[in-house]
Amino acid sequence: MGKTIRVLIGKPGLDGHDRGAKVVANALRDAGMEVIYTGLHQTPEMIAEAAVQEDVDVVGLSILSGAHMTMFPRILELLREKGAGHIKVFGGGIIPAEDAERLEAAGVARLFGPGTDTRDIVDFIRKNFAQSA
Amino acid sequence: MASERKDDFAEAKKRWRRLYEEWGTEDVDFTTVSGAPVEPLYGPDDAAGLDYLRDLGFPGEYPFTRGVYPTMYRGRQWTMRQFSGFGTPRDTNGRYHYLLDHGQTGLSVAFDMPTIMGYDSDHRRAEGEVGRCGVAIDSLRDMEILFDGIDMAKITTSMTINAPASILLAFYLCAGEKKGARFDEMGGTIQNDILKEYIAQKSWIFPPEPSIRIITDIMAFCADHVPRWNTISISGYHIREAGSTAVQELAFTLADGFAYVEAGIAAGLDVDEFAPRLSFFFNAHLDFFEEIAKYRAARRIWAKRMKEKYGAKDPRSWLLRFHTQTAGCSLTAQQPENNIVRTAFQALSAVLGGTQSLHTNSMDETLALPSEKAVRIALRTQQLIAHETGVVNSIDPLAGSWFVEAKTREMEEAAEKYFERIEEFGGVVKAIEAGFFQREIGRAAYEYQKAVERERKIVVGVNRFQLEDETIEIPILRIDQQVELDQRSAVAAVRAGRDNDKAARELVRLRTAAEGSDNLMPVILDCARCYCTEGEIIAALKEVFGEYVETPVF
């Protein structure tokens, strides 16, 4: 019996589309993970700080405002600065394939687009967390 | 004789029901997209008690179930109004000219997130967001560019703006004024529906009380000076997109509408002074008949309440006029061309439901902002409905369908139950503070997701009929990073080029007005005229009103 996976679901940026973030938060909780949801309109600093304070294993970011190319790299950088580079970051939202490739190359573990089955996200987190633990 | 025939009917129905059970049905959920049960067959017994004059009436007559105008689309087609905005004001101005050249009949402005949240383009919180999901507007100067070459006395414009609606309206009116258009000539809509922001769309700035004061100030100002302006577009669209059911969309939206009416009356306005300028904005989702019933029920509920509960005497106060947008949340990133078909069905339901204006989504909106070609196809979809299908010839053609009438009544009754629950909280604001709407919507969204994942609901291309190794072959609109840099320089240039002492004085006047109880609109207009930026005006108001903080629930 492994330790319970702790996940922070974050909504960086200014948009208020929290349907996806909440559905994923519910699905991860129902899958037995401990889920913390930041609420809306968070700055990258607020999210990185919460991730460290809450000692999470994974951070999931939801962005639908088009600011993904700014937000994801900034949060990765802040986590590294805080010595929390081991925390994995995944995400979802309206993110064109080309941008998703660039972000994944820059260190985002995985980006899930519209239509994703939440069980795929659960499997992904379990698999990746098992590798790093 | 009559009772004999009734017995015959009951007997025949039983006979059919037996056969129905014997034959058996497929193992799927026969429910609407909202999860509401649907009978296999509707008949005269399901519409029993329907009184034509009382419950339906004629088009343009109380209770307006069949439509708000006597002529409907024979008198005037719905306005084809594509929501559009991206990049700089100059970029979007180009798209507006393109749409108008292709037969669009009204404009609808999509603002970027910093504009929606009250930040100038050079604010730190605007970083990465400028011009991304709408056009960036920082001051009157940007509004002048946005409407360059467009006759603001002739075109009507809808602006999707809420917390800072008073400011964007002021920019618009001043931009028109500079071109010689009079306030009383300019027509359009501001969304200005803050309650649904707390409930679903989540783009708030101030707490509820000062927010509602600003709204009643706008209603009073426009009643006197901008009579052709729709001062609130009471919106169910975002409630539905956030995951609500059709009944929740209907009930929560109308409850918000009643709350604005009550706020107006409490502010000392005569209901007939402002109610004719209230309009609505609904979603057109995929469940065809459920949507049509929703629009019909909405008109009937609104008319009845406005007349009977709020004592409105002007028949225009009873009319629920509405804009419709097809459901963005129903579109798929998989096989995106299929979205053209989804959108067409949705648009057809809005037209059969009697909408006054319509936005059809583009096929590529789950991937990025729409490209020019995708927008043109979306607009053509409306033109096809209007000119080729023939559905516009007859008013409310589905009336009298036992199914549609039963569904209309069922939705009305379900909405009434929600009104009672909201009353028990002590009204809409109290229910928001208790997280009631947020939880109801969140739960419905999660239930739907689970139904899709268990394949009780089929989404073509997502959980059935998928393509192996699908590659997307439609062009994507990209917003250049340069937009943000250009817009930052533009707002700096505005600040450098204006009379800064005057701007500072107007901002002080605004703070003082906010502390008192005078109407804020005239002062905001003066701030706009001397090129105070949106961010400056909002910052001044924040000093007095503070900011709203939500307790997140999931």
Side-chain angles (χ1 to χ4, degrees), chain B residues 46 52 100 104 113 152 168 170 239 306 339 398 477 499:
Chain B
D46 295 293
Y52 184 85
L100 293 171
Q104 175 165 292
M113 285 314 306
M152 295 173 78
L168 276 299
I239 293 173
M306 291 307 289
N339 293 332
L398 291 172
L477 179 85
D499 179 342

Side-chain angles (χ1 to χ4, degrees), chain A residues 57-74:
Chain A
D57 306 296
V58 194
V59 173
L61 301 175
S62 169
I63 306 184
L64 291 95
S65 73
H68 46 270
M69 296 310 282
T70 306
M71 296 298 171
F72 279 101
R74 176 76 49 79

Side-chain angles (χ1 to χ4, degrees), chain A residues 54 56 67 88 108 115 118 133:
Chain A
E54 296 284 353
V56 298
K88 286 191 162 43
V108 176
T118 57

Side-chain angles (χ1 to χ4, degrees), chain B residues 346-358:
Chain B
Q346 296 166 355
L348 186 58
S349 77
V351 170
L352 291 172
T355 195
Q356 275 60 62
S357 73
L358 181 59

Side-chain angles (χ1 to χ4, degrees), chain B residues 254-290:
Chain B
L254 291 176
D256 287 348
F258 303 143
Y260 293 122
V261 169
E262 288 168 19
I265 293 170
L269 302 173
D270 178 346
V271 65
D272 286 322
E273 237 179 85
F274 66 87
R277 297 321 298 180
L278 300 178
S279 65
F280 285 79
F281 172 22
F282 289 112
N283 196 300
H285 212 294
L286 273 168
D287 205 290
F288 198 69
F289 293 104
E290 184 172 53

